């Protein structure tokens, strides 16, 4: 079974940093785009960032550009999100999501269980 | 950025009803439109991809249609397990964007 397990969330003060990790299993990680999507408590979904399978392309939402960095280690089947200069509006559940690979639809599937990041003093 | 506008934001329906949710893109996105279902406390799951293709394992009472800027998700004969929130999402260009969601509640 495909599994995505996030870790590294928690409470951080405004201006602080946090690194999220996502351990992937059950599929050939190195073939897939990977994404981070967040959801504010009680609100909708916001795409955060994506990274191509070979790390050659990364994209970010304007709301996090310059503060967040997505990366991956294909040898460890792990996706990362380094979050710096955190703000209250970054408080959300962060999901690790598998994207497309060659020959697959341009969807986001599956999603990890999500991890809560709370930015507060 | 491509804005995705979903309507309604919520609806009340009964088991057995036919429900239709619409999603409009602010510019043409071809068929690069996916639909997701989210239940409370759970991650979203894809139901429909590229506008009209049913994800494996999803009941056939779910269907999607549309292209360009206007899309719809239809649930025929609503079942108890279908009460959830539904989101559309465009995969045409970054930033990927989602609709605001439609909460389907029991009447």
């Amino acid at each position: 079974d495909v599994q995505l397990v996030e870790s590294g969330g928690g409470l951080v003060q405004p201006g602080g940093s946090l690194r999220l990790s996502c351990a992937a299993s059950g599929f050939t990680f190195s073939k897939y785009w990977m994404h981070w999507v967040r959801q504010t408590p009680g609100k909708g979904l916001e795409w955060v960032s994506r990274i191509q399978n070979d790390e050659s392309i990364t994209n970010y939402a304007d709301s996090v550009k310059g503060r967040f960095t997505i990366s991956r280690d294909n040898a460890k089947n792990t996706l990362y999100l380094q979050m710096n200069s955190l703000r209250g509006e970054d408080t959300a559940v962060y999901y690790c999501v598998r994207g497309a690979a060659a020959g697959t639809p341009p969807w986001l599937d599956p999603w990890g269980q999500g991890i809560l990041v709370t930015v507060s003093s | 950025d491509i804005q995705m506008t979903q309507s309604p934001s919520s609806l009340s329906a009964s088991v057995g009803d036919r429900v239709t949710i619409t999603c409009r893109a602010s510019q043409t996105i071809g068929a690069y439109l996916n639909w997701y279902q989210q239940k409370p406390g759970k991650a979203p799951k894809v139901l429909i991809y590229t506008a009209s293709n049913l994800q494996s394992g999803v009941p056939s009472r779910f269907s999607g249609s549309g292209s360009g800027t206007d899309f719809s998700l239809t649930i025929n004969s609503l079942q108890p397990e279908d009460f959830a929130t539904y989101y559309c999402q465009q995969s045409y260009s970054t930033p990927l964007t989602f609709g605001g969601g439609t909460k389907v509640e029991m009447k």
Side-chain angles (χ1 to χ4, degrees):
Chain A
D1 277 5
V2 174
Q3 270 204 313
L4 300 168
V5 180
E6 301 96 339
S7 61
L11 174 64
V12 62
Q13 292 188 337
S17 298
L18 214 53
R19 188 174 87 152
L20 303 183
S21 299
C22 170
S25 60
F27 66 102
T28 306
F29 181 74
S30 61
K31 291 188 175 180
Y32 287 81
W33 287 79
M34 295 297 297
H35 301 250
W36 289 98
V37 177
R38 68 186 181 184
Q39 185 167 35
T40 311
K43 299 281 180 68
L45 298 162
E46 180 188 17
W47 175 82
V48 172
S49 181
R50 72 173 184 176
I51 185 168
Q52 196 170 19
N53 63 316
D54 62 359
E55 301 186 78
S56 58
I57 296 174
T58 58
N59 300 106
Y60 298 90
D62 284 347
S63 58
V64 307
K65 202 173 293 182
R67 300 187 299 122
F68 289 12
T69 303
I70 191 171
S71 62
R72 64 192 296 163
D73 185 335
N74 286 343
K76 295 183 177 179
N77 290 343
T78 302
L79 176 73
Y80 302 100
L81 185 68
Q82 177 66 42
M83 304 185 293
N84 298 331
S85 303
L86 282 161
R87 307 166 180 168
E89 55 263 38
D90 296 317
T91 295
V93 173
Y94 285 74
Y95 292 101
C96 166
V97 192
R98 189 179 71 173
T104 71
W107 60 23
L108 299 173
D109 178 71
W111 299 51
Q113 84 283 358
I115 193 153
L116 179 62
V117 171
T118 303
V119 183
S120 176
S121 54
Chain B
D1 298 3
I2 299 174
Q3 308 303 317
M4 306 301 295
T5 304
Q6 254 182 269
S7 61
S9 56
S10 65
L11 64 91
S12 296
S14 300
V15 172
D17 284 354
R18 183 174 190 243
V19 167
T20 298
I21 299 166
T22 64
C23 181
R24 174 166 288 177
S26 61
Q27 64 187 75
T28 185
I29 59 171
Y32 288 92
L33 191 283
N34 305 315
W35 290 97
Y36 300 84
Q37 178 193 65
Q38 186 179 32
K39 295 183 178 179
K42 300 293 187 181
K45 293 184 177 181
V46 65
L47 297 175
I48 302 285
Y49 61 93
T50 50
S52 60
N53 295 284
L54 196 66
Q55 163 69 317
S56 176
V58 173
S60 59
R61 63 181 179 271
F62 290 91
S63 64
S65 65
S67 67
T69 60
D70 293 309
F71 302 86
S72 63
L73 171 71
T74 298
I75 311 171
N76 283 302
S77 188
L78 196 68
Q79 296 301 299
E81 60 268 29
D82 301 336
F83 292 99
T85 301
Y86 295 85
Y87 294 93
C88 61
Q89 174 251 326
Q90 64 82 15
S91 55
Y92 182 81
S93 66
T94 55
L96 307 184
T97 46
F98 293 84
T102 297
K103 188 172 184 179
V104 178
E105 298 176 298
M106 193 176 300
K107 186 181 288 184

